[in-house]
Every structure is written in structure tokens, then in C-alpha cells.
Amino acid sequence: MHIEHEEAMREAFTELDRLTRMAYRPEATQADIHRLYTDGAAIDQGWHYGPHREQWGFLKQARSQWECDPTAMRRSLVESLRSAGTKLDPVQRRSIEQGRVLADSTRPGIDRGR
């Protein structure tokens, strides 16, 4: 994957993530939700059916795994780094990191009363 394609993929995925989060806001109307999902589906389909669909799928899976079970994702990442048989390419490593960052940005922070 050329760097310009990777950068475009990362920007598109960040936008897809943003649209999805906006749809879950309590103040989102049904019209907002429909528009946000329609816009998000257009982004997803463009990458899902494009020449970089495998990298897009890997990124989506990494994001989902970080959201669902970050402890297992960390453990799996450490194991893959230790294992000589499981090699992640640089794009996959960056996808794992992007998934972590996006998942972390959606977790509510702790209000310490400051």
C-alpha cells in the first residue's frame, strides 16, 4: 500500500469513526442518525470494495477489538510481537495503533471533580 493510499484510508476511517460517534449522541435526531449512517456507509463501501479492502478490514477489526476487549487486544499484540511466526506489516501495526487511539477517545474519562 502506497503511503498516500494509507493516509487516505486513515483519514477516511477517522471520519467514519466520527460519524458513528455522532450518531450515538443523545441529542441526535432520527434524521441525523440516518444521514450520519448513510454518509458512513458510503465511506465504508468505498474502501470495503476497493483495492485495499484487506487493510481496511484489518483496521476495522482492530478498532472493534480495542473497543470490545482492550485487555485481550494488548495481550494478543504482545504475543504477536514475541512470536516469530506472526509478523505484522508496518501498515497493520499502524492500524492497531489507530484503532487503540480511536477506541481510547470514545471511552468516558474519569471526572475527578476538577
Side-chain angles (χ1 to χ4, degrees), residues 38-52:
T38 299
D39 293 350
I43 292 169
D44 185 47
Q45 287 181 10
W47 285 93
H48 180 77
Y49 294 106
H52 303 293

Side-chain angles (χ1 to χ4, degrees), residues 71-85:
T71 303
M73 188 63 172
R74 279 186 200 88
R75 187 174 34 252
S76 144
L77 182 57
V78 168
E79 288 170 10
S80 74
L81 294 173
R82 288 183 183 157
S83 171

Side-chain angles (χ1 to χ4, degrees), residues 1 3 6 9-10 52-63 65-66 73 76-77 80-81 85-101:
M1 173 180 258
I3 189 68
E6 182 182 350
M9 179 183 76
R10 299 209 182 285
H52 303 293
R53 65 186 153 275
E54 284 137 16
Q55 291 292 2
W56 180 257
F58 186 92
L59 176 54
K60 285 179 66 175
Q61 184 177 6
R63 167 66 171 90
Q65 287 176 331
W66 278 115
M73 188 63 172
S76 144
L77 182 57
S80 74
L81 294 173
T86 307
K87 294 289 184 183
L88 297 172
D89 67 41
V91 176
Q92 290 171 324
R93 285 179 184 262
R94 289 187 291 272
S95 289
I96 290 170
E97 179 62 15
Q98 183 179 9
R100 184 193 63 77
V101 168

Side-chain angles (χ1 to χ4, degrees), residues 22-29:
M22 288 178 65
Y24 281 98
R25 293 176 312 174
E27 65 272 11
T29 66

